Amino acid sequence: MTTAFDRRHFIGGVGALAALGVGSALAGCAPTQPQTAALSETGDGEPPVSVDEEMECDIAIIGSGASGLAACVEAGDLGLSTLCIESQSSTGGNIRFVEGCFAVDSSMQKAENIEVSAGMLVGQEMYQGQYRVSGVGYNDMVHRSGENLDWLVEHGVLFGQVDTDLGTERVFHRFQTGNGAESYVPQMTEAAEKAGVQFLFDTHADRLVQDADGSVTGVIATRGDGTVVQVNARAVVIATGSYMNNEQYMLDLGLEPENMDYIGLPGHDGAGHDMAVACGARSFRGSSAPLGAMKVPGLPGKFDDGKFFYIGFKTPYSIWVNENGERFVAEDCAATNFCLMQMPCLENKSTYVLLDEALMETFISSNASANIDAAKAAQTGKDPVQAARDELADGIAQGVIFKGNTLADVATQAGMRAEILEQTVQGYNECAASKIDNDFGKAADNLIPFGEGPYYAVKLVNEILAVCGSLKTDRNFNVVNTEGAPIEGLYAVGIEGSMLWANVYTINISGACNANSVNSGRVAVQHAVKTRIS
């Protein structure tokens, strides 16, 4: 079990959080006199712990990212005494990087006469998820999304335009400033504080408290100074953002540290998952869906306007090879889902995108390397072609892009077997000549034969922002036990309790992850009011 004394923290991002200065540590809802000798019973079978202070509130929310803030504001709107426990020094979490939110039938869409079939989107996403997702949950989220988007606007969240982003329909409501750090976090934090929500920052939630019938009645947490606080509440909402920073849990998904680049903020250590499982919750961790793509290590990523970030996605005419120089997939595999590019690479020790000189020039000169977010690229004021050439040179200098006059030279530099790489290219060229990919079935239009060198092998690793799905929940985001019954008083929202993705994130309706965070945060609080607090 992850506790305040043995949890693993991944360093990075704390200074940036403090610099943003969103939120400040506030007193608890109803602090009592310190009771150092008091012992608290928890539901995890571990010994009681000494508690230095107790607090009372209607609802305790663990985490203040997108879903946690949505839950806080909803609770404040409903007049609940609310305490939010946050392990970091300020609010926000990974919503700081997010660029917008999905919605159907929002006021913004109505103003532009944008009509999209909700049923079509639900069906599309369920198909993409191999029907291993909650149809009820998807239906709820999509049909509530317009109202939720308008609710965000009412609370000051800033949106600029509606576009498709990485999807196919105009359902992506882009933040006015291009990121949640400026357009979502300050506004929702202020709305929560105005509604009386109180935040405990630099405080790590460690254990849940259960009564005799198994209902969750509170949470025990450790402050930055080492003192232990018990928050007694009628309901507890876990909004801890899953377990991206837990190395062992990521290894369980097949994501090895040497093949990963974490871009999210720290604090996602799996504590929410562990606390709930210790109380009998059913784990969904085996079906978690990573949210990310493939990038070139050491070069700028998606949120830094990286030109080479999309090289795997934007070069269906390339050859993808593993550490031996073997081709292993149709290179247009991500055409229907951007995030699918990660899946076939999980079996490799190393993954490379192979291009000849002409294909590399096509990638660069056609602006295919430019970030898909054209508005962001325009804001930088840089010529995207020159920026891509600069990144190419930098990648070669760093040893993450290998260039050689022959395939054997490139193979040697990258640590591949030269004879296998040469055989791979020869076989691929035969497929390209016949316009039939007998190995993996790539579309004929993407079969372009390799010509003369020089050749490039571009190393790819997983860029991970989040991992969706950790705890099994029901339609109301009640955490369920191993028998499928809800654990009274315990909710998991945001990506922690999402039942909308299994194994792979489907990004065709861009912004759905954020839409789920907002919806789940609101629904969980509303259900708690009906069943636990009223």
Side-chain angles (χ1 to χ4, degrees), residues 69 72-73 76-77 154-156 185-197 199:
L69 284 173
C72 285
V73 174
D77 285 351
E154 291 170 4
H155 287 87
V185 177
Q187 295 79 6
M188 291 294 279
T189 302
E190 181 180 5
E193 290 177 336
K194 283 185 176 179
V197 177
F199 291 89

Side-chain angles (χ1 to χ4, degrees), residues 433-489:
S434 66
K435 288 296 181 180
I436 299 174
D437 182 3
N438 284 318
D439 295 319
F440 297 102
K442 182 156 74 171
D445 289 347
N446 294 326
L447 289 168
I448 300 176
F450 270 49
E452 299 296 324
Y455 301 97
Y456 300 84
V458 183
K459 183 176 178 61
L460 296 182
V461 296
N462 292 281
E463 181 173 83
I464 302 292
L465 175 63
V467 179
C468 302
S470 169
L471 296 168
K472 181 74 173 179
T473 60
D474 64 15
R475 188 176 194 172
N476 301 305
F477 300 96
N478 244 152
V479 176
V480 302
N481 62 24
T482 54
E483 297 178 351
I487 298 175
E488 295 298 324

Side-chain angles (χ1 to χ4, degrees), residues 147-179:
E147 174 192 345
N148 286 334
L149 198 288
D150 292 346
W151 178 81
L152 290 177
V153 173
E154 291 170 4
H155 287 87
V157 176
L158 304 175
F159 293 97
Q161 66 187 51
V162 183
D163 57 52
T164 61
D165 193 52
L166 293 170
T168 57
E169 306 292 333
R170 290 187 66 192
V171 295
F172 188 69
H173 295 64
R174 192 171 297 277
F175 287 136
Q176 187 178 92
T177 62
N179 63 69

Side-chain angles (χ1 to χ4, degrees), residues 39-108:
L39 298 179
S40 174
E41 295 292 340
T42 62
D44 55 17
E46 293 191 1
V49 296
S50 295
V51 173
D52 299 300
E53 180 182 6
E54 288 195 49
M55 300 179 179
E56 307 287 335
C57 61
D58 290 326
I59 191 164
I61 298 166
I62 308 173
S64 62
S67 62
L69 284 173
C72 285
V73 174
E74 182 69 20
D77 285 351
L78 295 176
L80 307 182
S81 60
T82 306
L83 190 144
C84 182
I85 300 169
E86 171 55 58
S87 68
Q88 303 303 299
S89 59
S90 60
T91 60
N94 282 343
I95 186 61
R96 293 180 178 279
F97 299 111
V98 176
E99 296 157 306
C101 186
F102 160 84
V104 170
D105 206 28
S106 70
S107 294
M108 292 176 66

Side-chain angles (χ1 to χ4, degrees), residues 80 195 213 277 435 487 503 525:
L80 307 182
D213 67 3
V277 169
K435 288 296 181 180
I487 298 175
N503 301 324
V525 170

Side-chain angles (χ1 to χ4, degrees), residues 317-522:
Y317 43 77
S318 65
I319 300 177
W320 293 9
V321 295
N322 61 18
E323 64 278 1
N324 296 320
E326 301 163 312
R327 187 172 175 234
F328 58 90
V329 72
E331 292 80 6
D332 52 8
C333 62
T336 58
N337 180 1
F338 176 71
C339 290
L340 273 174
M341 68 175 70
Q342 287 184 315
M343 299 299 106
C345 301
L346 293 178
E347 301 300 318
N348 303 336
K349 291 182 179 178
S350 299
T351 299
Y352 301 93
V353 170
L354 190 69
L355 298 165
D356 64 16
E357 181 73 9
L359 295 178
M360 177 62 81
E361 185 59 29
T362 296
F363 171 65
I364 291 176
S365 63
S366 67
N367 291 336
S369 58
N371 196 306
I372 288 176
D373 182 357
K376 180 187 293 185
Q379 290 175 2
T380 65
K382 296 180 180 179
D383 173 62
V385 173
Q386 185 57 50
R389 295 193 192 284
D390 292 343
E391 284 189 21
L392 175 60
D394 191 23
I396 293 172
Q398 290 189 46
V400 293
I401 299 177
F402 304 97
K403 178 181 179 180
N405 290 325
T406 66
L407 291 170
D409 186 14
V410 167
T412 300
Q413 292 182 51
M416 294 182 276
R417 294 176 60 181
E419 69 277 12
I420 291 180
L421 184 62
E422 290 172 341
Q423 291 169 7
T424 295
V425 174
Q426 179 181 349
Y428 181 84
N429 279 349
E430 291 171 359
C431 292
S434 66
K435 288 296 181 180
I436 299 174
D437 182 3
N438 284 318
D439 295 319
F440 297 102
K442 182 156 74 171
D445 289 347
N446 294 326
L447 289 168
I448 300 176
F450 270 49
E452 299 296 324
Y455 301 97
Y456 300 84
V458 183
K459 183 176 178 61
L460 296 182
V461 296
N462 292 281
E463 181 173 83
I464 302 292
L465 175 63
V467 179
C468 302
S470 169
L471 296 168
K472 181 74 173 179
T473 60
D474 64 15
R475 188 176 194 172
N476 301 305
F477 300 96
N478 244 152
V479 176
V480 302
N481 62 24
T482 54
E483 297 178 351
I487 298 175
E488 295 298 324
L490 182 62
Y491 299 84
V493 300
I495 61 174
E496 192 86 72
S498 170
M499 296 292 100
L500 305 189
W501 302 282
N503 301 324
V504 63
Y505 183 76
T506 51
I507 204 164
N508 300 79
I509 56 172
S510 294
C513 190
N514 193 15
N516 168 71
S517 291
V518 175
N519 182 63
S520 59
R522 297 190 69 195

